[in-house]
Amino acid sequence: MKAPTIIALLYGPDQPGLVSRVSSWIFLRGSNIHHADQHKDLEANIFFQRVEWAPSGQIEEEAAAFKKFANEELGMEVKVALSTDRPKVALFVSKTEHCFHDAILRFRAGEMAGELGCIISNHEILRGDTESYGLPYYCVPTSKETKAAAETEQLRIIREHGCELVVMARYMQVLSDDFLKEVACPVINIHHSFLPAFAGGKPYHQAHSRGVKLIGATAHYATADLDEGPIIHQDVTRINHRNAIQDLIRKGRDLEKTVFAHAIRLHLDNRILIYNNKTVVFD
Amino acid sequence: MKAPTIIALLYGPDQPGLVSRVSSWIFLRGSNIHHADQHKDLEANIFFQRVEWAPSGQIEEEAAAFKKFANEELGMEVKVALSTDRPKVALFVSKTEHCFHDAILRFRAGEMAGELGCIISNHEILRGDTESYGLPYYCVPTSKETKAAAETEQLRIIREHGCELVVMARYMQVLSDDFLKEVACPVINIHHSFLPAFAGGKPYHQAHSRGVKLIGATAHYATADLDEGPIIHQDVTRINHRNAIQDLIRKGRDLEKTVFAHAIRLHLDNRILIYNNKTVVFD
Amino acid sequence: MKAPTIIALLYGPDQPGLVSRVSSWIFLRGSNIHHADQHKDLEANIFFQRVEWAPSGQIEEEAAAFKKFANEELGMEVKVALSTDRPKVALFVSKTEHCFHDAILRFRAGEMAGELGCIISNHEILRGDTESYGLPYYCVPTSKETKAAAETEQLRIIREHGCELVVMARYMQVLSDDFLKEVACPVINIHHSFLPAFAGGKPYHQAHSRGVKLIGATAHYATADLDEGPIIHQDVTRINHRNAIQDLIRKGRDLEKTVFAHAIRLHLDNRILIYNNKTVVFD
Amino acid sequence: MKAPTIIALLYGPDQPGLVSRVSSWIFLRGSNIHHADQHKDLEANIFFQRVEWAPSGQIEEEAAAFKKFANEELGMEVKVALSTDRPKVALFVSKTEHCFHDAILRFRAGEMAGELGCIISNHEILRGDTESYGLPYYCVPTSKETKAAAETEQLRIIREHGCELVVMARYMQVLSDDFLKEVACPVINIHHSFLPAFAGGKPYHQAHSRGVKLIGATAHYATADLDEGPIIHQDVTRINHRNAIQDLIRKGRDLEKTVFAHAIRLHLDNRILIYNNKTVVFD
């Protein structure tokens, strides 16, 4: 078994000596850095760092002390996590089930540094499968008229389960700006095109119509601007003139599953920092 | 040495028995089919075929007879070529030289079923390199005021060399609608993004700004609608937050070279049919 | 709904007019070819063809008539299938479950032109999951001493369910030469390396030790020579020095799933011909 | 213009505080770290680091001082380089010219942090092309009998030009163990397969014969064990049953060019550390 570690994600205005001050703080407590990766955006003059270390003292206390140091002495924004953390995740799904099964099986197989807390859907269709996985299922139907009330109910469920991440496994409703503000945790969406191409609805139909030779999938953080949030991960696969829209949909499923899962894993491993509507991914 | 073959590219309204009628025509002359590939667009009810065979008789005569058969008896559009054809190609270039060198070296290495007839540029800069390759170089400067005259001169050069294909190796001028009509041969362009994303100018800057995780290149036939022509080939490569725009440009060069060369090769091998602003690529 | 079609896979000594004779036989019955793809191995002088058509008459009768024609008049080996066929498949698994879940979910989602008939394992561990999928599970423990008896029992189960294909979803026992002869149907295996590199056991350990920069997976037909059978499909993914063996195993799982599933799909779609320990894949 | 930086590549036994001690040494001189990347091999207990910084003082003096510090105080092996270094490179080639042209054009385009010092071949064939690139060409014919003398002459040329890296652009002779010891600088070779598959001669023939679905290329440091040296970079491309050996060779050329060039670039950018016959690549 690997000993527990502390992971810190920092960012803020660049200044001389940041790498040295962070590593010296850790060293001088007798702790041992396992990984440290940093990035500077030279145009924006911002410093980003992911550092992971085995603490010498009591782990929660050392994590809190580091956070205070980073905030107060370095003036950096910082998220501190433990390698043993298993944050709860809420999975939203509609009827399309490939990302749903794939994500659940990966959580079960121990691929993810987190746990599924609940499944929320606007349909009843996946209740049986969810329950055979031993997970709680909530059906919250939504329509134009009931959207606000439905979102209030979704927020209640997310809070009841203490979820710290929402992942949209092909959930076919747009989350409102209010919901995104209220939920106060990151929301990861999977879009079935290589954004920014074919944003909006029916991207496989758009791709077929334009005659592209590659189709893609994009995992991004959801923002109020639909399909415009910070991109986490993308991948593509080759198609040809023989492929009907149904073939694009089938090929795309494999892309969506792996791109979605990879983005969730990166997030739960605390490898992503967001700024200027872009991501820094320490992988 | 492989014996010379005839290659026919057919398309037209689908009707029963087309595969049989084409193959029987060839068989009954005692000729031997090497490859035959067909495609049906079931929505548009169009039949496409590429068939290649070793003729039993005199090759030009058999090619002409087949063309007549396909036109008159099958009612199909058809292009007939010989595997020994070496059509002349005009290469347009500005100052960016990677696609220029790459394409010329591939023609020299015998990778292409054609020959470079002339290099046309709006700058003098690549004259020396062109001449050391033993190729004729024409500098036709162009500005808003002189564009019409410059295009007339370009057309004169293309005709003088008997070119049947124009390839734009990062030529930084938009060809006018009139030019495209007058030249009366296909024009292949390389665009440095995965179209339809980042159409227009400075696609690497657009990609950097949007924070995508993949950049691409697209080879397409030029049409009057800029960056909207039928796509022949596309490829992508992975980038990350560490890559500055200069890195994107460098990584993109390798994509542009291989995608451009692959599109030219497919065209010269008579593997491409165009319809509905899309391509059928028999590869 | 697409109308049912007949699919024929032919191969045999090349001779003039094969394309014509096949297509004319179909045309003269008033039937309509949807796809026809052929290949010649010029060194071995063998002709291969996959042809798919909508019959004009009673489908089973026309399929039988074509088989007789191909055998007797063309002297070709031929397999004839109907697009409506749903052959039964036996899935072998040990304890490693990712290919097991992935394959079952694809069959359930309708991605495969076949049906899972039974799951056979040498362990009890996946009985619960199998039964919640509604599939029959057979645990046939096997050891050096009981191998022959175990294989007899496996053959009995396969026959009882009328399976026409066996797929080994990371089944960790070598099937004997006798078993492969007796089962008299194709057996598809997934190997977790890009064969021929790292044949045999523990390929991820071998890959880690050698320091390769890509790992792969290979789906192949099982033969008496372990890991030496005809390769159906392969894919790779990039790794780096940071990846421990556990990371290779995790990354490899995604490769194994998609490569395995793609090979099963190609087989069930009747797209594969085998000769000289290689495959011709009409995709 | 970017200001000049110092790049240090360190490795040695792991010990607590290495990241801190290195970064503090730099910070306390008033210098500014641009990049720092480290890796620990937990099994072997070895620490690896690449650190790049803008010096506060005179650059050569600071580089020398750091080397002394890393050696004497940290007990690490270290290579120190300046971002302005342009080491000379000797390129070996036989008759196959694609990697030769590709590498030369990349050096000319400024993609490489080094300069070609000389071209050495066992044939006269590329003298003209080399000279039109403005580079010195040495033809050193070699046979079983003259191999020792030829290698002595090659070493003389390499030293005369002060080359610090040898790259073998499809040079078809095996360098002797003695040569590799005498040359006392790294030698990069490009092998046309995804090693360890198809080591030795004629890998495309081996790949064709085995019926693999992917072909590859591998750049590695040359060692006395042929094709067994530390792997720097690998890539693959997809092939199918239609591809004859000639097609594999053509497709492979594009792989070889990009894999070879990428390996040279990584080396000249001081991104590679070697240990246990493997590479750590800080990219």
Side-chain angles (χ1 to χ4, degrees), chain B residues 17 20 23-24 33 36 38 40, chain C residues 20 23-24 27 33 36 38 40:
Chain B
S20 168
S23 57
S24 296
I33 294 179
Q38 47 276 327
K40 287 183 190 184
Chain C
S20 168
S23 58
S24 296
F27 176 50
I33 293 178
Q38 48 276 327
K40 288 183 188 182

Side-chain angles (χ1 to χ4, degrees), chain A residues 17 20 23-24 33 36 38 40, chain D residues 17 20 23-24 27 33 36 38 40:
Chain A
S20 168
S23 57
S24 296
I33 293 178
Q38 46 276 327
K40 287 182 188 183
Chain D
S20 168
S23 57
S24 296
F27 176 50
I33 293 179
Q38 46 277 326
K40 288 183 190 183

Side-chain angles (χ1 to χ4, degrees), chain C residues 120-136:
Chain C
I120 298 176
S121 178
N122 52 335
H123 295 282
E124 277 292 348
I125 194 166
L126 291 169
R127 180 179 295 279
D129 283 338
T130 301
E131 291 174 355
S132 80
Y133 284 128
L135 291 169

Side-chain angles (χ1 to χ4, degrees), chain D residues 243-255:
Chain D
N243 297 128
I245 288 171
Q246 289 308 312
D247 300 309
L248 270 50
I249 291 171
R250 176 179 58 71
K251 287 185 160 199
R253 283 202 294 258
D254 281 348
L255 282 180

Side-chain angles (χ1 to χ4, degrees), chain C residues 113-259:
Chain C
E115 280 175 31
L116 282 171
C118 57
I119 311 297
I120 298 176
S121 178
N122 52 335
H123 295 282
E124 277 292 348
I125 194 166
L126 291 169
R127 180 179 295 279
D129 283 338
T130 301
E131 291 174 355
S132 80
Y133 284 128
L135 291 169
Y137 189 82
Y138 298 88
C139 178
V140 185
T142 181
S143 66
K144 212 185 242 183
E145 291 71 32
T146 64
K147 189 181 182 84
E151 290 195 343
T152 302
E153 173 63 3
Q154 291 164 348
L155 287 167
R156 192 195 60 73
I157 298 163
I158 291 167
R159 284 170 190 149
E160 179 187 319
H161 286 276
C163 295
E164 299 171 51
L165 175 68
V166 173
V167 300
M168 298 169 71
R170 300 292 313 274
Y171 180 66
M172 305 306 274
Q173 301 289 323
V174 178
L175 299 178
S176 75
D177 203 356
D178 282 347
F179 178 93
L180 291 170
K181 278 181 196 141
E182 281 293 316
V183 73
C185 76
V187 177
I188 293 176
N189 185 39
I190 178 74
H191 186 85
H192 39 315
S193 83
F194 48 64
L195 290 173
F198 311 132
K202 294 197 172 289
Y204 293 128
H205 290 74
Q206 294 183 57
H208 189 259
S209 166
R210 179 62 185 93
V212 290
K213 301 301 186 187
L214 298 169
I215 55 169
T218 303
H220 64 95
Y221 288 111
T223 58
D225 291 321
L226 188 65
D227 300 337
E228 294 288 332
I231 293 171
I232 303 168
H233 187 54
Q234 301 186 289
D235 205 358
V236 297
T237 197
R238 199 160 288 285
I239 59 169
N240 64 36
H241 61 274
R242 295 189 193 284
N243 296 128
I245 288 172
Q246 289 308 312
D247 300 309
L248 271 50
I249 290 172
R250 177 180 57 71
K251 287 186 160 199
R253 283 202 294 258
D254 282 349
L255 282 180
E256 294 163 38
K257 288 189 292 193
T258 51
V259 169

Side-chain angles (χ1 to χ4, degrees), chain C residues 69-87:
Chain C
F69 161 73
N71 284 332
E72 297 181 7
E73 296 190 38
L74 303 181
M76 309 288 279
E77 298 288 320
V78 64
K79 178 186 175 188
V80 178
L82 308 187
S83 64
T84 49
D85 290 343
R86 284 294 172 272

